[in-house]
Amino acid sequence: MKSLYVAILMLLLCQPMAMQAQTTWKRSMYTQVTPQNFRQQTIFQQPINNNKIDYPLLNAVIFYLVNEYRLRNNLPALPYSPILEAASWHHSKAMAEGNFFSHTNSRDKQRAEPRDRVRLAGGSNLPTGAAATTGQAGIAENIAMNFGKTGLSYLQMGEAFFEQWRNSSGHNQNMLSDRAKQSGVGVFQLDGKFYATHKFAWFNEVKDGAPVVDKLPAEL
């Protein structure tokens, strides 16, 4: 019995050490890191190298910052959605490469509106009309752009985007909406300009099932 207790204690002690040793973000970490402990993770303190950005890591830190904010405002933290992350990242990439800043992508009819982009990332229960019906997920979206300063950590860059949204009434309402059930963030950088997109599933979580055209950045 004593040896079992020691083994369990060692496992608990080693798990945070293993996390601290990580230098790149893995999707499985969403099950280990929480809004309550993410600031203790040294992985988010790494400086950003614009020539080799860990996009999943930058996406994750903004996800946790928003959930931390929700908890401070007596709202539940939102579950992570890889579908919403993929849709968000591809929209940020499209804005950067197309040199536009809008919720509507007029350059690509397949990806024109937020729900179109979620569908191409694998979402299946999305409205075809103006509003979501029973079982469907409505999509809300925050976007932002800023110039990254040299030497910023992933956490500092995430905080810059978070503050932009917190100081904007409409964006802040999206972050604190009690209709939100799920979220995912995607950031892309081009020529020193960082574009961020944060998608929220309203009313219901997004379900998979549609063909995946737009994959997660880590899968490309």
Side-chain angles (χ1 to χ4, degrees):
M1 187 68 179
K2 183 178 179 180
S3 61
L4 177 61
Y5 172 79
V6 172
I8 293 173
L9 181 61
M10 289 299 294
L11 180 62
L12 292 173
L13 289 174
C14 289
Q15 188 173 359
M17 293 176 63
M19 176 65 69
Q20 297 294 349
Q22 292 284 349
T23 58
T24 58
W25 185 261
K26 306 296 183 185
R27 202 199 310 179
S28 60
M29 294 179 184
Y30 279 106
T31 64
Q32 304 171 49
V33 179
T34 69
Q36 293 89 346
N37 70 21
F38 80 99
R39 290 184 181 274
Q40 303 165 21
Q41 310 304 323
T42 57
I43 190 171
F44 295 123
Q45 304 295 337
Q46 298 177 92
I48 295 176
N49 177 352
N50 283 8
N51 297 316
K52 192 178 180 182
I53 297 174
D54 184 346
Y55 286 117
L57 178 59
L58 188 50
N59 300 343
V61 74
I62 299 174
F63 170 84
Y64 285 114
L65 283 163
V66 174
N67 269 339
E68 178 187 54
Y69 183 46
R70 287 178 62 86
L71 291 176
R72 289 204 308 265
N73 284 273
N74 300 313
L75 291 164
L78 298 174
Y80 159 73
S81 166
I83 292 174
L84 295 178
E85 180 188 5
S88 294
W89 186 79
H90 281 276
H91 186 55
S92 293
K93 183 173 184 287
M95 288 193 293
E97 295 177 343
N99 193 30
F100 72 96
F101 184 72
S102 173
H103 295 287
T104 300
N105 184 348
S106 60
R107 295 159 175 78
D108 187 343
K109 291 183 179 179
Q110 280 190 305
R111 298 169 176 81
E113 300 300 330
R115 64 186 177 190
D116 299 327
R117 301 188 281 271
V118 173
R119 188 173 289 111
L120 288 174
S124 62
N125 59 325
L126 301 165
T128 54
T133 58
T134 303
Q136 292 183 331
I139 303 299
E141 181 181 82
N142 284 350
I143 58 175
M145 186 276 289
N146 68 48
F147 290 90
K149 296 179 181 178
T150 303
L152 288 183
S153 69
Y154 283 86
L155 177 58
Q156 289 171 324
M157 176 58 74
E159 288 175 330
F161 279 117
F162 167 73
E163 288 299 327
Q164 282 181 258
W165 288 328
R166 190 177 68 85
N167 292 315
S168 167
S169 176
H171 296 99
N172 191 59
Q173 287 176 19
N174 280 343
M175 291 195 295
L176 296 180
S177 173
D178 59 5
R179 292 175 288 187
K181 302 300 179 184
Q182 208 178 23
S183 81
V185 182
V187 182
F188 189 82
Q189 181 269 150
L190 183 66
D191 297 331
K193 290 171 67 175
F194 287 74
Y195 292 78
T197 304
H198 191 173
K199 281 185 168 60
F200 302 86
W202 279 10
F203 312 118
N204 295 283
E205 294 188 0
V206 171
K207 296 180 180 178
D208 59 13
V212 178
V213 177
D214 292 344
K215 298 181 179 180
L216 288 164
E219 296 174 347
L220 297 175

